[in-house]
Amino acid sequence: MTRLIVSLSALLMTVSAPFADPVVDYAENCQECHGVNRLGGIGPALIPQTLGRMRGPNLVSVIRDGRAATQMPAFGDLMSDSRIDALAAFLQEPLVDVPPWGAEEIMASRILNEDYQPANKPVWSSDPMNITLAVETGDHHVSVLDGDTFETLDRFPTPFAVHGGPKFSPEGRYVFIMSRDGWVQKYDLYALKEVGRIRAGLNSRNIAMSHDGKWIAVANYLPNTLTILAAENLSVAAVQEIKGKDGTPSRISAVYQAPPRKSFVLALKDVPEIWEVFYGPNPPHYGFAHDWRIEGPAPHTKPFPVRKITTPDYLDDFFFDQSYEYVMGASRSGAGGQVIDLVIGQKTADLDLPGMPHLGSGITWQHGDTTVMATPHLKDNAVSVIDMQTWKTVKRIETLGPGFFMRSHENSPYVWVDVFFGPNRDVMHVIDKQSLEIVKTLRPEKGATVAHVEFTRNGRHALVSIWEDEGAMIVYDAQTLEEIRRLPMKKPSGKYNVWNKITFSEGTSH
Ligand code: DHE
C-alpha cells in the first residue's frame, strides 16, 4: 500500500460510507500492493498463513499507524477504528481458495524464452568482471552497465517488484532475479537475453545460489516452503514444506549460501529455528533423520539433507562471519542479537543490537588487529560496529536517521551508509573505516531519497541511487567523494557489480 494509493476517492469513500465493506476497502486501498485475492505483490500476501506473528491487535495497529522500515503507510486518518477492525478481521479470514503451489504447479509456470540462443562469448567488449546491474523498481527493469564507461548495454524488463540482491552464477555469466510474487528470472549477460522464468512461490523473500552454480534456493512466505531449482534449466529439484520441529508451519525469513559448508542456511520466521540444507556430495554427519531429507521429484533424485538447530530467539535477519561458521542473528522485536555457531549448533554469544539492526546489509572490514562487522538500524539513528572476535560493540556511530543499506570495498578507506527514513533521507554518510568517524555527509539532491551504494570492480567509483520515480544513479569518485556523472533512472534501488558479488567482497552483503 503506497501512499499514492491513499487516493482522494478512498478519502471520499471513508467520509460518505462509514460502514463500508472490508472487501471494498481492501480493493480500494490494499489490492494494488498486496495483490488480487490477497496473494501478494510488492507487499506481502495478507492471509493467515503469511500474517504469522502479525495477528490480532498488531494487525490493527499496523493498518492504523503504518509499519516502520517498510512502505506500509498509516490509514488511521482515513478510516474509522471500526472500519480498520473490520478490515483486519477480513485479512485474518482464510482464503476460500488458496491455489496449491507444489512442484507440479511451479513447473507448469516455467516459461523458457524461445528466442534465446546462448552466445559462446559476450556480444559486447566490456570487462565481463566489471559489469554492473542497476535494478530500476520504478518501471520494473534492470539496466546492464559497463562498469568502466557506464554505457548501458541493455535494459530488460523484470517480473513485478524485484526484492533482494540478484545472484550471479560463479563465473558471472548468468544472473537470477527474484520478485516478491515469487518469480525467478534467469538472464544471460553474455547474450543480453532472458533465458526464462518460473514462479517458485506465491510470495517470496529472497534467493540464494549454491557456490557451484548448480542450485537456487527460494525462500517463500507463501506457501510455507523452500523451493530448490536447478539453475541450468530452472526445473524444480525439490519443494520442502517448512514446519518447526513441533509441527508449526513457518515462513522463511531469508536464505543464504554458506560456500565453505556447501550448504544453504535459512532462518524460520515463525519458529525459533535455523535450518542448514546441504547440497554438496559429502555432507557432514549430523545424524540426519530420514524425514529431514528433501527428496526431489522425478527426474531429480538428489536428496538434500537438512539439519535443524533450535535457537533461543527468532531470527528475522542474519549475517555470517567470513568463515561461515558463525551466524549473527536478530529479531525484528528489537530485543538484541545472538551468535549461533553452526559447527556445534548452539548459541555462543549475545549481541548488543537493539533498534532493529538490518543485518542483511551488514559488511565487514579489518580494523586494527581484528575484523569488525557494521550494520545500520531500521529504527535507530545509528550504525553499530561489532568486534567479530569478542562480539562486543566497538562503537555506535550516530547518524542523521535510520539507515537501510551500507557498502564498502577492499580498496576504499570508507564505508557508505544511507539515511533511508525521516527528514534527512536525502543524505548519505561516508565513514572512515579506521577512525569510525563520519568524514563527510553528502546531500546530492535536497529532498530526494538517497540510498544504496555499490562500488565498481576496482573500488574507484561508488554508485549511489536517487531513489525516486524520476531518479538517477550518481557516479562518485570513491577517493575524492566528488560527483562525476548522473545517469537518469526510474527509481533505482540496488546496484550489483559482478566481480564484487562473485568474489564475496567483504564490502558487500551476501
Ligand atoms: Fe529488503 C535485501 C528483508 C523491506 C529493498 N531485504 C533484503 C534481504 C532481506 C530483506 C532478508 C536480503 C536478501 C538478499 O539479498 O538475498 N526488506 C526485508 C524486510 O524484512 C523488510 C524490512 C520488510 C519487507 O517488506 O520485506 C524489507 N527492502 C525492503 C523495502 O521496503 C525496500 C527498501 C524496497 C523494496 O524493494 O521492497 C527493500 N531489500 C531491498 C534491496 C535489497 C534488499 C534493494 C538488496 C540489497 C543488496 O544490496 O543486496
Side-chain angles (χ1 to χ4, degrees), residues 71 163 165 167 180 205-206 256 332 407 452 496 509:
Q71 301 188 36
H163 180 241
K167 302 294 172 331
R180 284 191 189 256
R205 292 299 288 159
N206 79 321
Y256 299 110
R332 286 275 146 78
R407 278 278 210 280
H452 197 279
Y496 307 91
S509 43

Side-chain angles (χ1 to χ4, degrees), residues 387-460:
D387 183 323
M388 296 185 82
Q389 274 166 16
T390 63
W391 304 115
K392 299 278 177 237
T393 303
V394 177
K395 184 162 182 185
R396 275 168 69 81
I397 304 166
E398 209 177 307
T399 58
L400 285 175
F404 225 107
F405 304 109
M406 61 194 301
R407 278 278 210 280
S408 185
H409 190 278
E410 285 83 351
N411 297 341
S412 169
Y414 305 122
V415 170
W416 297 54
V417 62
D418 53 47
V419 170
F420 201 84
F421 305 102
N424 295 313
R425 62 183 192 287
D426 55 357
V427 308
M428 173 76 67
H429 293 301
V430 182
I431 298 169
D432 184 287
K433 276 163 141 175
Q434 295 312 316
S435 70
L436 306 182
E437 299 286 344
I438 294 175
V439 290
K440 191 156 185 178
T441 295
L442 303 159
R443 185 176 260 122
E445 194 171 312
K446 205 165 167 16
T449 302
V450 173
H452 197 279
V453 180
E454 173 62 304
F455 285 78
T456 48
R457 174 186 180 173
N458 55 13
R460 242 186 86 204

Side-chain angles (χ1 to χ4, degrees), residues 42 44 67-71 137 161-167 180 205-208 221 253-256 269 316-317 332 356 358 360-361 378 404-405 407 420 452-453 467 493-496 501 509-510:
I42 187 171
R67 190 157 195 224
T70 73
Q71 301 188 36
T137 53
V162 167
H163 180 241
K167 302 294 172 331
R180 284 191 189 256
R205 292 299 288 159
N206 79 321
I207 55 174
Y221 266 9
S253 305
V255 60
Y256 299 110
K269 200 168 175 74
D316 284 308
D317 206 356
R332 286 275 146 78
M356 276 170 100
H358 193 237
S361 60
L378 299 175
F404 225 107
F405 304 109
R407 278 278 210 280
F420 201 84
H452 197 279
V453 180
W467 194 297
S493 57
K495 284 85 55 203
Y496 307 91
K501 283 297 176 192
S509 43
H510 305 279

